[in-house]
Amino acid sequence: MAAEIVNPRSDSPEGAQDEPFDPAFALHRGGKMAISATVPLRDKDDLSLAYTPGVAKVCTAIAEQPELVHDYTWKSQVVAVVTDGTAVLGLGDIGPEASLPVMEGKAILFKQFGGVDAVPIALATTDTDEIVETVVRLAPSFGGVNLEDISAPRCFEIERKLQERLDIPVFHDDQHGTAVVTLAALRNAAKLTGRTLGDLRGVISGAGAAGVAIAKFLLEAGLGDVAVADRKGVVSRDRDDLTPVKRELAEITNKAGISGSLETALAGADVFIGVSGGTVPEAAVASMAPNAFVFAMANPNPEVHPDVAHKYAAVVATGRSDYPNQINNVLAFPGIFAGALQVRASRITEGMKIAAANALADVVGEQLAADYVIPSPFDERVAPAVTAAVAAAARAEGVARR
């Protein structure tokens, strides 16, 4: 079915002037962001300082000492939000133009929650090498690159190649932002039930960008074991249909040697993490271990409805804002980039991401409860805590340049 055409005068579908007002279209009209000056331009003296001839002195100084670009331009305060429009939210491959409302949204989240300026860049190519080359050529203007809504498995290669070629942070939020917030919530859920990460066996539904990153990150952080399931079942060494990414995943996950379906893997599991959509049968949830955790993060329809999950699980989280314990990437990426930019980090390390997760978990503090294992994005303590932790970790790991 073709998309409805919006009447530019009514914010209602074309030809339907009596239809209810749609606030989403009204809010997005003209875009959600703009660029504004941070210096005055009131007269010719201001103009001569902000532009010629004053600007030439600054350009010459930077040419002689390239590091001065961080002090005399916005470079160290701005992130490029880059997409090719192939995996936008739950909409799939909708192309670069249709992705722009989401990229604008990401940019204003950076500003609102981390004080970081961001510029949406939607690329008219899905070729891995073309994306890499384009971003490399744009990089002198930016202090960091946030890759967004690029489909797997290309997203893994694009991120890796950019990290190899650039000396600024490159971060694929769909992978690592989700993983950081998941770890923070899981740490607190374990604490609430008197366990550690090492005591837990998890099952992840979804072997795309988020699922792969979460699995690797949780193991790095000390999770006892995790099995990952795709549409064909558990990713295991005995399968002969695995992509290179999934073959690598099979080598480091599933110590229990489980084969077969997601439902089989869930029997006796302590943790379910859903990043795939679909529906998990109630019987499979019921087969999990006592005091289990269900993180059903598909949006808008969780893999396990919270009402079902609460029958069997000690802690339930979703990706939705209308239920407690929302696993929301906005809890992570603004502070992570703010911390990395603050110290001019050359990259974002695993240690920096773990520091972000720990800081996020610590914000909950003494208020820890089954319906509060992760703070709200609007908790004003979140971004400063994550920023400080990431900056400190960057210094400790030797990737800070100030």
Side-chain angles (χ1 to χ4, degrees):
M1 179 182 294
E4 294 178 315
I5 305 299
V6 176
N7 185 320
R9 292 186 296 276
S10 70
D11 288 315
S12 297
E14 184 72 44
Q17 298 290 340
D18 57 346
E19 289 293 317
F21 174 77
D22 190 326
F25 282 104
L27 182 142
H28 283 79
R29 182 173 298 283
K32 300 192 291 289
M33 58 184 294
I35 292 175
S36 63
T38 61
V39 297
L41 283 176
R42 299 161 300 195
D43 52 36
K44 66 181 182 60
D45 292 333
D46 289 342
L47 185 59
S48 69
L49 288 173
Y51 202 54
T52 185
V55 73
K57 298 177 183 178
V58 180
C59 292
T60 302
I62 294 171
E64 294 172 353
Q65 299 181 60
E67 283 302 302
L68 291 178
V69 70
H70 298 286
D71 297 312
Y72 294 108
T73 74
W74 77 339
K75 179 180 172 73
S76 283
Q77 305 169 64
V78 65
V79 170
V81 179
V82 179
T83 191
D84 63 358
T86 54
V88 181
L89 301 179
L91 305 174
D93 185 355
I94 60 175
E97 289 85 359
S99 77
L100 269 176
V102 177
M103 300 310 116
E104 287 183 4
K106 200 77 173 190
I108 65 174
L109 294 178
F110 265 110
K111 187 66 172 179
Q112 178 68 28
F113 293 104
V116 174
D117 290 301
V119 177
I121 298 175
L123 301 179
T125 178
T126 60
D127 181 87
T128 294
D129 290 333
E130 287 184 358
I131 291 172
V132 170
E133 291 299 328
T134 301
V135 175
V136 167
R137 283 160 175 72
L138 289 170
S141 296
F142 299 99
V145 176
N146 185 82
L147 300 173
E148 190 77 21
D149 293 347
I150 299 173
S151 62
R154 293 174 311 114
C155 61
F156 302 115
E157 185 178 1
I158 290 168
E159 183 186 42
R160 177 181 58 78
K161 287 184 173 181
L162 286 173
Q163 288 172 338
E164 290 171 353
R165 294 185 59 180
L166 297 177
D167 66 348
I168 58 175
V170 177
F171 186 83
H172 185 208
D173 186 50
D174 301 326
Q175 294 183 59
H176 310 300
T178 308
V180 166
V181 182
T182 301
L183 174 59
L186 190 56
R187 275 200 188 283
N188 275 342
K191 180 180 178 182
L192 183 69
T193 56
R195 290 176 285 179
T196 67
L197 290 179
D199 298 326
L200 305 176
R201 177 174 74 83
V203 177
I204 297 174
S205 175
V212 170
I214 291 169
K216 291 181 176 180
F217 192 55
L218 293 183
L219 289 174
E220 177 78 18
L223 188 71
D225 190 17
V226 64
V228 182
D230 62 12
R231 291 184 181 89
K232 297 181 180 178
V234 175
V235 174
S236 56
R237 295 183 185 184
D238 60 353
R239 283 178 50 179
D240 59 7
D241 60 346
L242 300 178
T243 65
V245 170
K246 292 180 184 178
R247 279 200 299 273
E248 178 188 352
L249 195 63
E251 293 297 320
I252 62 172
T253 61
N254 194 18
K255 292 186 225 173
I258 300 168
S259 297
S261 67
L262 171 71
E263 290 81 0
T264 299
L266 279 175
D270 302 291
V271 185
F272 168 76
I273 296 170
V275 285
S276 66
T279 301
V280 176
E282 181 172 347
V285 181
S287 74
M288 295 177 69
N291 287 321
F293 312 140
V294 172
F295 292 4
M297 298 188 288
N299 225 333
N301 299 311
E303 294 88 348
V304 182
H305 192 280
D307 291 345
V308 173
H310 278 296
K311 294 181 184 179
Y312 310 102
V315 176
V316 177
T318 72
R320 291 175 50 148
S321 59
D322 53 348
Y323 291 105
N325 296 327
Q326 184 190 19
I327 308 296
N328 190 331
N329 288 11
V330 77
L331 289 163
F333 69 81
I336 289 174
F337 269 99
L341 294 175
Q342 185 180 97
V343 298
R344 295 180 191 167
S346 58
R347 59 194 176 95
I348 294 172
T349 65
E350 291 300 297
M352 290 162 72
K353 289 184 285 184
I354 288 175
N358 291 343
L360 186 54
D362 289 345
V363 168
V364 171
E366 304 260 332
Q367 297 171 281
L368 180 62
D371 61 354
Y372 186 58
V373 297
I374 198 76
S376 162
F378 294 98
D379 188 323
E380 294 181 356
R381 299 171 297 171
V382 168
V386 173
T387 299
V390 168
R395 291 190 177 103
E397 300 209 338
V399 297
R401 289 177 287 198
R402 76 167 181 182

